[in-house]
Amino acid sequence: AVVSTQSTGEDEMKVVTVTYGNNVALHDVTTFDLLRTHSLPCVVNSASLHLDQRYFVCGGEDMYVYKVSIETGRIMESYKKHFGPVHCIRYSPDGELYASGSEDGTIRLWQDSVGKTYGL
């Protein structure tokens, strides 16, 4: 299992994401209560929760990056740009971008909302 903790603000709930097998589980850090579990079409290596807690991104063995609705579990977007399994994925502190790192040796930056210029 891979565990990562994310806080969405001082007054917001702190949530931990846990990936195991083809599942992403979201737990309340304070109570350790299971909030949600979602299954994906592949083994998931890493997941990152967006600041607004409406969706998360994840990646795994099938080389795809997925954006998933927390409420419905529906895959909202998926991209296959890596040539090896995705081992890590993380949102930027402002939630505008996320980065994925792969076994193929690449790190890719993704816009959460396409169209904004970031000066990269």
Side-chain angles (χ1 to χ4, degrees):
V2 178
V3 179
S4 64
T5 305
Q6 293 175 257
S7 174
T8 57
E10 284 186 33
D11 299 328
E12 304 261 343
M13 180 187 316
K14 292 185 180 180
V15 176
V16 63
T17 59
V18 179
T19 61
Y20 59 97
N22 67 328
N23 299 298
V24 176
L26 305 170
H27 292 266
D28 181 313
V29 171
T30 307
T31 64
F32 303 111
D33 289 339
L34 176 64
L35 303 172
R36 302 229 187 238
T37 301
H38 296 296
S39 294
L40 280 291
C42 73
V43 172
V44 181
N45 294 327
S46 184
S48 184
L49 182 65
H50 190 268
L51 294 173
D52 69 9
Q53 297 189 9
R54 291 184 302 141
Y55 48 89
F56 63 88
V57 291
C58 62
E61 296 299 313
D62 67 354
M63 300 179 270
Y64 277 86
V65 170
Y66 296 98
K67 185 175 180 181
V68 180
S69 166
I70 290 175
E71 185 66 32
T72 66
R74 183 179 67 83
I75 296 172
M76 301 164 57
E77 299 173 11
S78 64
Y79 305 100
K80 186 174 183 182
K81 297 292 182 181
H82 286 291
F83 297 102
V86 177
H87 288 293
C88 59
I89 194 163
R90 181 70 58 212
Y91 266 104
S92 61
D94 64 4
E96 297 286 331
L97 298 169
Y98 55 96
S100 58
S102 170
E103 192 172 295
D104 65 12
T106 63
I107 296 172
R108 294 192 178 271
L109 298 178
W110 308 86
Q111 292 180 312
D112 193 61
S113 297
V114 178
K116 186 173 180 180
T117 302
Y118 294 96
L120 298 175

